[in-house]
Amino acid sequence: MRVVVAEDSVLLREGLVRLLAEAGHEVVEAVGDAPSLLDAVARHHPDAAVVDVRMPPDHTDDGLRAAVQARRRQPGLAVVVLSQYVEAAYAADLLGDGRGGVAYLLKDRVADLDALTGALDAVAAGGTALDPEVVAQLLARRRADDPLAALTPREREVLALVAEGRSNAAIRDALVVSEGAVEKHVASIFTKLGLPPSTADHRRVLAAVTYLRATGA
């Protein structure tokens, strides 16, 4: 596989070049900043790029942004992103186009040649390879962003029926439970969605709107 390496640490950059060469890959260029990564991809049209997230010139997410831009310019480019820490927002951005061919690894795993070459093989085939810590934080982020995450399966069923405009009696009949049970579920839903009693807002309507937004219905 023809690979471009983008890493601002000289020692790590040279180590990556050596590891990749030992695995039988051809490193066509190794660079130390984000603009040079874009230039190298445009010049060599590599199969893959191994990219550090934080690189010059700004030392923020320059490497990631350059990788996303490089994939737009060369849609078939596979990308392995390296990061010192788990930065779930960056991983989500990279995976956001849904095209596959991306990996996100923590740098402390890079010493494991099998992990690095396995990630390259996966992305070259159009798949993904995510560090287990990245997966855990992406799931946690998704749960945090989901306003319905705290609801039980039964409460979700009740809320779905509320969103349909059903009364408590109609929900009772649909779920074959007591009306008292429905009232308890509805009260719990309001609490978990942060909808305290109010004379200004209709909580059933607000709960229904929250459900529709969260589910894309």
Side-chain angles (χ1 to χ4, degrees):
M1 199 181 305
R2 300 173 68 253
V3 183
V4 166
V5 171
E7 165 60 57
D8 62 322
S9 166
V10 175
L11 289 176
L12 183 53
R13 184 166 69 240
E14 293 305 314
L16 286 168
V17 171
R18 188 180 67 184
L19 284 172
L20 291 168
E22 288 178 0
H25 299 293
E26 178 188 0
V27 177
V28 293
E29 190 166 350
V31 300
D33 59 72
S36 296
L37 167 62
L38 292 173
D39 291 343
V41 169
R43 186 162 47 250
H44 298 286
H45 299 285
D47 302 303
V50 178
V51 184
D52 183 17
V53 167
R54 296 179 181 271
M55 296 180 65
D58 297 330
H59 292 283
T60 55
D61 61 348
D62 300 74
L64 176 84
R65 287 188 284 109
V68 171
Q69 188 174 348
R71 276 169 61 84
R72 289 198 191 105
R73 295 178 181 179
Q74 184 181 319
L77 179 68
V79 173
V80 176
V81 169
L82 305 178
S83 181
Q84 189 68 41
Y85 308 102
V86 177
E87 300 177 87
Y90 294 156
D93 286 345
L94 189 64
L95 295 165
D97 61 17
R99 288 188 283 124
V102 296
Y104 191 111
L105 302 179
L106 294 182
K107 285 185 176 180
D108 61 7
R109 315 261 192 204
V110 174
D112 181 351
L113 181 58
D114 290 339
L116 179 59
T117 57
L120 273 173
D121 290 341
V123 298
T128 59
L130 300 179
D131 189 282
E133 286 296 321
V134 176
V135 173
Q137 292 210 21
L138 283 174
L139 290 174
R141 182 186 181 203
R142 182 176 179 179
R143 286 194 295 269
D145 292 342
D146 182 4
L148 309 183
L151 302 185
T152 66
R154 176 60 88 183
E155 288 168 349
R156 283 176 176 258
E157 288 181 312
V158 171
L159 181 54
L161 293 170
V162 168
E164 292 177 9
R166 306 279 191 97
S167 66
N168 283 2
I171 295 172
R172 173 202 65 199
D173 295 340
L175 299 180
V176 194
V177 295
S178 70
E179 193 161 345
V182 174
E183 290 173 356
K184 288 180 180 179
H185 286 313
V186 171
S188 177
I189 290 167
F190 290 159
T191 299
K192 290 179 179 179
L193 294 184
L195 299 173
S198 169
T199 58
D201 299 310
H202 196 304
R203 289 192 293 171
R204 291 181 82 92
V205 173
L206 294 176
V209 169
T210 299
Y211 174 80
L212 294 173
R213 286 176 176 169
T215 61

